[in-house]
Structures are given as structure tokens and as C-alpha cells.
Amino acid sequence: IQGKMRQAARREKLKTSFQTLDIDHNGVISEVELLAALERFGIDEDSPAGEELLAACEKHQEQGGMTEGDYVAAMEDLIDNPPKDPFADLDEEQQIHVRRLITVLMHRGVSVCFGRWQAEMDLNSQLKKKVVHNYQQVCSSLFTPPLASTCISDLTNFRTLTVFDVSKRGLSPAGFKALLAAMAGHGPNFLAMEGKEHSAPVYLNLHPDQSFVSKLDSPDVLAMRDKNNYAVVHTMNLSDNDLRAAGAFDLFFWIQVSHCENIRHLFIGSRGLHDTGGP
């Protein structure tokens, strides 16, 4: 009975280590995921140990990689029938890395949290860079300077930020549209401007649903902050910018489609917002 209990406990630990390697949680460990684990722990993929692990993974490539059952069976076979001195071809430092990898994979708290944390951090870092890049690209397309680049970067990176302040930035209507596009993760319909001699004026006359019709390769910034458990942005200060009627209409549309239900205070006092500035 004790033997069966130990075997059951070992299988549970192996299932947990499988979750660590299955970064995208699709139910299989792909060669890419295994290579990422080898690199993370400093194991050369061309070393005997690395080649053996990759060879085991390649046997299951037709089904996309090793399933949990394949992985548990393979690991149990290695545990029950260990090869003679499996680390003989590794130097002392490499042996330390291999044993550390095995230890981490067999302990649930460290293995699962570390793998998911690193994957999530890498993804978030790329998304944050894309938000700023897309803002600058839209500004470039509209021939307007990216005056709010620092503000966008602060919004994506500062966990404790609660007030998004772009007051007195000298934002034009085109620059304001670019800012909202980057925050919403949706850009202008540039196809509607093809063949137009003056793209920026044409863009200003587009209806908001055309301004934000094209999905960018970056997320809604406020939704991303919420997902990452950042502080809630409850105040936006857009005062003293030249927003005009076009900016007011775009702001109204952005509020409807963006993840901004937590915003409680919105300051839009502007010398460019006259009676025609409100939708």
C-alpha cells in the first residue's frame, strides 16, 4: 500500500512539473518549450543530456509534442531505470545546472510559479514596447510629433500610477487621435486615406469608428494594467491641449469602446474646445 501511495505522490509531482514546461498550456510540451527550459537553466542543447531530452520530445512531434501521459511515463522510466552515470559527459558546472533543473521541476511551488512568471514577464515587456512603438508610428504617419511618448511609457510601466496626465503637451487633434489609438490598441483606417494628397487633414475628418477600426499588435493599455493588477487609473487630465471638436468626438468614442470604466475624473479644459467641442 505504501508503495502505491509513493508512486501516486510521485506522479502528482511529475504532472506538476509538466505544467511548468507547458508554457502555453495547450496540453503538450513542444520542442520550443523544451529548448526554452534548457536555455533557462544553462543546459547546452548539443550536450548529451540536452540531446537525450530533445530526442524524447521528437518522438511525439506528430501530435505536437509530449502529452502529460507521455511525459509522466518517460520520466517514471528514467527514475525507475536510471542510466549509468547520466552526467558523465558534463563538467561540474553543467551537472549543477542539470540537477537544479530536476529539483525545480519536482517542486510545485517554485517550478510552476517561476515558469509562468518568466513567460508572462517576457510577453508583457514586448507588449509595453509595442504600445509606445505604435503610438510613434501613428504619429509619424500623420506627420505630427509624438509629444506624449513619455506619458504612454509611464502608463504602461508604472504599477502605482493612478493619474494619467497629458496636460499642456501641445497635442493637436491629430496627435490626440494617435494617443487614443495607442491606448485603445486600434489604429486609424489608413486605407481610407490612400491616394489622398494631404493625409493628416483627411484623417481629422474621419468618423471616430474609422479612426480606430484597424487592430494594432498591442493591447488596450488600461485593460493590460487591470490584467497585471496594476493600480487603477482613476483620473485623466487632458487640459490645455488643442483638441478641438475632432478631439472631443474621438474622446467620446474612445470612452465607449475602451477599458476605462474605472476613470472617475476627466479634465478636458482646453482653449481649443468651444461650443462645438461636445458630442
Side-chain angles (χ1 to χ4, degrees):
I1 295 177
Q2 290 182 344
K4 290 183 178 180
M5 292 178 63
R6 284 195 297 269
Q7 186 178 36
R10 185 177 68 180
R11 286 184 177 178
E12 287 303 314
K13 289 183 178 180
L14 290 173
K15 290 178 181 179
T16 299
S17 70
F18 174 86
Q19 297 174 16
T20 303
L21 294 182
D22 183 20
I23 296 175
D24 59 6
H25 311 299
N26 67 344
V28 295
I29 297 175
S30 66
E31 183 178 357
V32 173
E33 289 170 325
L34 183 56
L35 285 170
L38 294 176
E39 181 179 359
R40 186 183 309 157
F41 291 96
I43 303 173
D44 190 346
E45 62 184 87
D46 295 323
S47 68
E51 290 180 348
E52 185 173 344
L53 288 170
L54 289 171
C57 185
E58 288 175 1
K59 293 180 182 178
H60 305 280
Q61 284 307 303
E62 291 187 1
Q63 62 188 23
M66 289 191 291
T67 64
E68 183 181 274
D70 298 328
Y71 175 78
V72 171
M75 291 297 293
E76 284 190 320
D77 182 61
L78 283 174
I79 295 171
D80 294 334
N81 304 288
K84 183 179 179 180
D85 194 8
F87 307 132
D89 295 323
L90 301 179
D91 59 34
E92 183 177 353
E93 183 178 354
Q94 289 174 325
Q95 290 186 33
I96 292 174
H97 285 306
V98 172
R99 297 184 190 282
R100 184 180 299 168
L101 171 62
I102 293 174
T103 300
V104 170
L105 292 177
M106 294 298 290
H107 288 80
R108 178 176 183 176
V110 177
S111 61
V112 175
C113 293
F114 179 77
R116 292 180 180 175
W117 173 82
Q118 185 175 56
E120 191 70 19
M121 288 295 291
D122 290 344
L123 177 60
N124 280 337
S125 177
Q126 292 299 317
L127 290 177
K128 291 174 183 178
K129 292 178 182 178
K130 286 180 179 179
V131 171
V132 178
H133 174 74
N134 285 336
Y135 167 66
Q136 295 172 340
Q137 285 292 99
V138 175
C139 284
S140 176
S141 300
L142 299 174
F143 306 102
T144 186
L147 301 175
S149 293
T150 302
C151 298
I152 283 285
S153 180
D154 290 348
L155 185 63
T156 60
N157 288 291
F158 289 175
R159 300 182 63 92
T160 58
L161 185 76
T162 58
V163 178
F164 183 55
D165 188 356
V166 289
S167 62
K168 300 180 181 179
R169 291 279 171 172
L171 294 178
S172 65
F176 184 57
K177 284 174 178 277
L179 174 66
L180 293 181
M183 292 181 64
H186 282 76
N189 184 356
F190 287 109
L191 292 178
M193 297 186 293
E194 283 189 353
K196 306 293 185 180
E197 184 176 355
H198 304 291
S199 59
V202 172
Y203 178 48
L204 290 178
N205 292 324
L206 290 177
H207 191 272
D209 60 1
Q210 291 178 297
S211 299
F212 309 111
V213 71
S214 301
K215 183 70 178 75
L216 303 176
D217 59 348
S218 57
D220 182 306
V221 176
L222 296 182
M224 180 177 69
R225 288 181 61 87
D226 185 54
K227 177 183 177 183
N228 293 332
N229 295 316
Y230 283 16
V232 172
V233 175
H234 55 67
T235 301
M236 287 184 65
N237 189 356
L238 309 173
S239 301
D240 299 314
N241 289 292
D242 192 21
L243 306 184
R244 305 190 184 185
F249 275 100
D250 281 320
L251 178 61
F252 180 72
F253 185 80
W254 175 80
I255 290 174
Q256 293 180 317
V257 301
S258 183
H259 186 83
C260 58
E261 61 268 17
N262 291 316
I263 293 179
R264 295 292 178 262
H265 308 285
L266 178 63
F267 300 100
I268 55 175
S270 170
R271 65 179 184 276
L273 276 180
H274 300 299
D275 293 339
T276 59

PDB file of all heavy atoms in Angstrom, residues 247-262:
ATOM      1  N   GLY A 247     -11.178  66.242 -31.625  1.00  0.00           N
ATOM      2  CA  GLY A 247     -10.666  65.537 -30.450  1.00  0.00           C
ATOM      3  C   GLY A 247     -11.771  65.157 -29.492  1.00  0.00           C
ATOM      4  O   GLY A 247     -11.748  64.086 -28.892  1.00  0.00           O
ATOM      5  N   ALA A 248     -12.769  66.031 -29.337  1.00  0.00           N
ATOM      6  CA  ALA A 248     -13.880  65.744 -28.439  1.00  0.00           C
ATOM      7  C   ALA A 248     -14.689  64.547 -28.923  1.00  0.00           C
ATOM      8  O   ALA A 248     -15.077  63.683 -28.139  1.00  0.00           O
ATOM      9  CB  ALA A 248     -14.781  66.970 -28.316  1.00  0.00           C
ATOM     10  N   PHE A 249     -14.943  64.488 -30.227  1.00  0.00           N
ATOM     11  CA  PHE A 249     -15.685  63.357 -30.774  1.00  0.00           C
ATOM     12  C   PHE A 249     -14.904  62.055 -30.598  1.00  0.00           C
ATOM     13  O   PHE A 249     -15.471  61.014 -30.261  1.00  0.00           O
ATOM     14  CB  PHE A 249     -15.991  63.593 -32.254  1.00  0.00           C
ATOM     15  CG  PHE A 249     -17.242  64.405 -32.480  1.00  0.00           C
ATOM     16  CD1 PHE A 249     -17.167  65.761 -32.772  1.00  0.00           C
ATOM     17  CD2 PHE A 249     -18.495  63.820 -32.378  1.00  0.00           C
ATOM     18  CE1 PHE A 249     -18.312  66.510 -32.972  1.00  0.00           C
ATOM     19  CE2 PHE A 249     -19.649  64.557 -32.568  1.00  0.00           C
ATOM     20  CZ  PHE A 249     -19.557  65.922 -32.871  1.00  0.00           C
ATOM     21  N   ASP A 250     -13.593  62.107 -30.845  1.00  0.00           N
ATOM     22  CA  ASP A 250     -12.777  60.905 -30.678  1.00  0.00           C
ATOM     23  C   ASP A 250     -12.738  60.459 -29.224  1.00  0.00           C
ATOM     24  O   ASP A 250     -12.772  59.256 -28.930  1.00  0.00           O
ATOM     25  CB  ASP A 250     -11.361  61.159 -31.194  1.00  0.00           C
ATOM     26  CG  ASP A 250     -11.270  61.074 -32.701  1.00  0.00           C
ATOM     27  OD1 ASP A 250     -11.909  60.183 -33.280  1.00  0.00           O
ATOM     28  OD2 ASP A 250     -10.576  61.911 -33.303  1.00  0.00           O
ATOM     29  N   LEU A 251     -12.657  61.408 -28.301  1.00  0.00           N
ATOM     30  CA  LEU A 251     -12.649  61.069 -26.883  1.00  0.00           C
ATOM     31  C   LEU A 251     -13.960  60.398 -26.486  1.00  0.00           C
ATOM     32  O   LEU A 251     -13.961  59.401 -25.752  1.00  0.00           O
ATOM     33  CB  LEU A 251     -12.436  62.341 -26.053  1.00  0.00           C
ATOM     34  CG  LEU A 251     -12.456  62.166 -24.532  1.00  0.00           C
ATOM     35  CD1 LEU A 251     -11.355  61.216 -24.081  1.00  0.00           C
ATOM     36  CD2 LEU A 251     -12.305  63.527 -23.846  1.00  0.00           C
ATOM     37  N   PHE A 252     -15.056  60.922 -26.971  1.00  0.00           N
ATOM     38  CA  PHE A 252     -16.366  60.348 -26.675  1.00  0.00           C
ATOM     39  C   PHE A 252     -16.449  58.907 -27.184  1.00  0.00           C
ATOM     40  O   PHE A 252     -16.924  58.005 -26.479  1.00  0.00           O
ATOM     41  CB  PHE A 252     -17.456  61.195 -27.326  1.00  0.00           C
ATOM     42  CG  PHE A 252     -18.855  60.679 -27.089  1.00  0.00           C
ATOM     43  CD1 PHE A 252     -19.456  60.787 -25.850  1.00  0.00           C
ATOM     44  CD2 PHE A 252     -19.563  60.088 -28.127  1.00  0.00           C
ATOM     45  CE1 PHE A 252     -20.739  60.309 -25.634  1.00  0.00           C
ATOM     46  CE2 PHE A 252     -20.843  59.600 -27.920  1.00  0.00           C
ATOM     47  CZ  PHE A 252     -21.433  59.715 -26.679  1.00  0.00           C
ATOM     48  N   PHE A 253     -15.946  58.682 -28.384  1.00  0.00           N
ATOM     49  CA  PHE A 253     -15.972  57.340 -28.966  1.00  0.00           C
ATOM     50  C   PHE A 253     -15.037  56.404 -28.195  1.00  0.00           C
ATOM     51  O   PHE A 253     -15.391  55.255 -27.905  1.00  0.00           O
ATOM     52  CB  PHE A 253     -15.553  57.406 -30.436  1.00  0.00           C
ATOM     53  CG  PHE A 253     -15.658  56.101 -31.161  1.00  0.00           C
ATOM     54  CD1 PHE A 253     -16.873  55.634 -31.642  1.00  0.00           C
ATOM     55  CD2 PHE A 253     -14.531  55.317 -31.366  1.00  0.00           C
ATOM     56  CE1 PHE A 253     -16.965  54.430 -32.313  1.00  0.00           C
ATOM     57  CE2 PHE A 253     -14.618  54.111 -32.033  1.00  0.00           C
ATOM     58  CZ  PHE A 253     -15.837  53.664 -32.513  1.00  0.00           C
ATOM     59  N   TRP A 254     -13.846  56.899 -27.829  1.00  0.00           N
ATOM     60  CA  TRP A 254     -12.871  56.078 -27.101  1.00  0.00           C
ATOM     61  C   TRP A 254     -13.427  55.625 -25.756  1.00  0.00           C
ATOM     62  O   TRP A 254     -13.227  54.481 -25.341  1.00  0.00           O
ATOM     63  CB  TRP A 254     -11.583  56.874 -26.900  1.00  0.00           C
ATOM     64  CG  TRP A 254     -10.568  56.183 -26.061  1.00  0.00           C
ATOM     65  CD1 TRP A 254      -9.697  55.194 -26.443  1.00  0.00           C
ATOM     66  CD2 TRP A 254     -10.310  56.414 -24.666  1.00  0.00           C
ATOM     67  NE1 TRP A 254      -8.923  54.801 -25.385  1.00  0.00           N
ATOM     68  CE2 TRP A 254      -9.274  55.526 -24.285  1.00  0.00           C
ATOM     69  CE3 TRP A 254     -10.846  57.283 -23.719  1.00  0.00           C
ATOM     70  CZ2 TRP A 254      -8.775  55.495 -22.993  1.00  0.00           C
ATOM     71  CZ3 TRP A 254     -10.351  57.246 -22.425  1.00  0.00           C
ATOM     72  CH2 TRP A 254      -9.322  56.355 -22.070  1.00  0.00           C
ATOM     73  N   ILE A 255     -14.131  56.507 -25.069  1.00  0.00           N
ATOM     74  CA  ILE A 255     -14.726  56.155 -23.774  1.00  0.00           C
ATOM     75  C   ILE A 255     -15.711  55.001 -23.929  1.00  0.00           C
ATOM     76  O   ILE A 255     -15.826  54.139 -23.056  1.00  0.00           O
ATOM     77  CB  ILE A 255     -15.421  57.387 -23.154  1.00  0.00           C
ATOM     78  CG1 ILE A 255     -14.374  58.418 -22.721  1.00  0.00           C
ATOM     79  CG2 ILE A 255     -16.288  56.988 -21.963  1.00  0.00           C
ATOM     80  CD1 ILE A 255     -14.956  59.728 -22.237  1.00  0.00           C
ATOM     81  N   GLN A 256     -16.387  54.931 -25.064  1.00  0.00           N
ATOM     82  CA  GLN A 256     -17.378  53.881 -25.286  1.00  0.00           C
ATOM     83  C   GLN A 256     -16.737  52.528 -25.586  1.00  0.00           C
ATOM     84  O   GLN A 256     -17.272  51.489 -25.209  1.00  0.00           O
ATOM     85  CB  GLN A 256     -18.302  54.275 -26.440  1.00  0.00           C
ATOM     86  CG  GLN A 256     -19.205  55.469 -26.142  1.00  0.00           C
ATOM     87  CD  GLN A 256     -20.084  55.811 -27.328  1.00  0.00           C
ATOM     88  OE1 GLN A 256     -19.644  55.815 -28.472  1.00  0.00           O
ATOM     89  NE2 GLN A 256     -21.335  56.122 -27.052  1.00  0.00           N
ATOM     90  N   VAL A 257     -15.593  52.528 -26.267  1.00  0.00           N
ATOM     91  CA  VAL A 257     -15.014  51.255 -26.722  1.00  0.00           C
ATOM     92  C   VAL A 257     -13.827  50.806 -25.886  1.00  0.00           C
ATOM     93  O   VAL A 257     -13.421  49.646 -25.984  1.00  0.00           O
ATOM     94  CB  VAL A 257     -14.576  51.358 -28.207  1.00  0.00           C
ATOM     95  CG1 VAL A 257     -15.749  51.710 -29.093  1.00  0.00           C
ATOM     96  CG2 VAL A 257     -13.446  52.377 -28.384  1.00  0.00           C
ATOM     97  N   SER A 258     -13.270  51.672 -25.050  1.00  0.00           N
ATOM     98  CA  SER A 258     -12.062  51.324 -24.312  1.00  0.00           C
ATOM     99  C   SER A 258     -12.390  50.784 -22.925  1.00  0.00           C
ATOM    100  O   SER A 258     -13.510  50.897 -22.431  1.00  0.00           O
ATOM    101  CB  SER A 258     -11.153  52.549 -24.193  1.00  0.00           C
ATOM    102  OG  SER A 258      -9.945  52.214 -23.532  1.00  0.00           O
ATOM    103  N   HIS A 259     -11.360  50.200 -22.306  1.00  0.00           N
ATOM    104  CA  HIS A 259     -11.490  49.630 -20.969  1.00  0.00           C
ATOM    105  C   HIS A 259     -11.237  50.744 -19.940  1.00  0.00           C
ATOM    106  O   HIS A 259     -10.204  50.789 -19.280  1.00  0.00           O
ATOM    107  CB  HIS A 259     -10.461  48.503 -20.795  1.00  0.00           C
ATOM    108  CG  HIS A 259     -10.591  47.737 -19.518  1.00  0.00           C
ATOM    109  ND1 HIS A 259     -11.476  46.696 -19.352  1.00  0.00           N
ATOM    110  CD2 HIS A 259      -9.962  47.871 -18.323  1.00  0.00           C
ATOM    111  CE1 HIS A 259     -11.365  46.207 -18.133  1.00  0.00           C
ATOM    112  NE2 HIS A 259     -10.459  46.901 -17.490  1.00  0.00           N
ATOM    113  N   CYS A 260     -12.184  51.671 -19.820  1.00  0.00           N
ATOM    114  CA  CYS A 260     -11.945  52.850 -18.972  1.00  0.00           C
ATOM    115  C   CYS A 260     -13.073  53.069 -17.967  1.00  0.00           C
ATOM    116  O   CYS A 260     -13.313  54.198 -17.548  1.00  0.00           O
ATOM    117  CB  CYS A 260     -11.760  54.090 -19.841  1.00  0.00           C
ATOM    118  SG  CYS A 260     -13.158  54.450 -20.920  1.00  0.00           S
ATOM    119  N   GLU A 261     -13.737  52.003 -17.564  1.00  0.00           N
ATOM    120  CA  GLU A 261     -14.864  52.177 -16.651  1.00  0.00           C
ATOM    121  C   GLU A 261     -14.441  52.623 -15.253  1.00  0.00           C
ATOM    122  O   GLU A 261     -15.269  53.067 -14.461  1.00  0.00           O
ATOM    123  CB  GLU A 261     -15.668  50.874 -16.541  1.00  0.00           C
ATOM    124  CG  GLU A 261     -14.896  49.686 -16.014  1.00  0.00           C
ATOM    125  CD  GLU A 261     -14.278  48.864 -17.126  1.00  0.00           C
ATOM    126  OE1 GLU A 261     -14.177  49.385 -18.243  1.00  0.00           O
ATOM    127  OE2 GLU A 261     -13.908  47.709 -16.878  1.00  0.00           O
ATOM    128  N   ASN A 262     -13.131  52.509 -14.941  1.00  0.00           N
ATOM    129  CA  ASN A 262     -12.663  52.926 -13.621  1.00  0.00           C
ATOM    130  C   ASN A 262     -12.301  54.400 -13.546  1.00  0.00           C
ATOM    131  O   ASN A 262     -11.988  54.904 -12.462  1.00  0.00           O
ATOM    132  CB  ASN A 262     -11.449  52.080 -13.210  1.00  0.00           C
ATOM    133  CG  ASN A 262     -11.833  50.635 -12.930  1.00  0.00           C
ATOM    134  OD1 ASN A 262     -12.835  50.372 -12.285  1.00  0.00           O
ATOM    135  ND2 ASN A 262     -11.048  49.700 -13.436  1.00  0.00           N
TER     136      ASN A 262
END
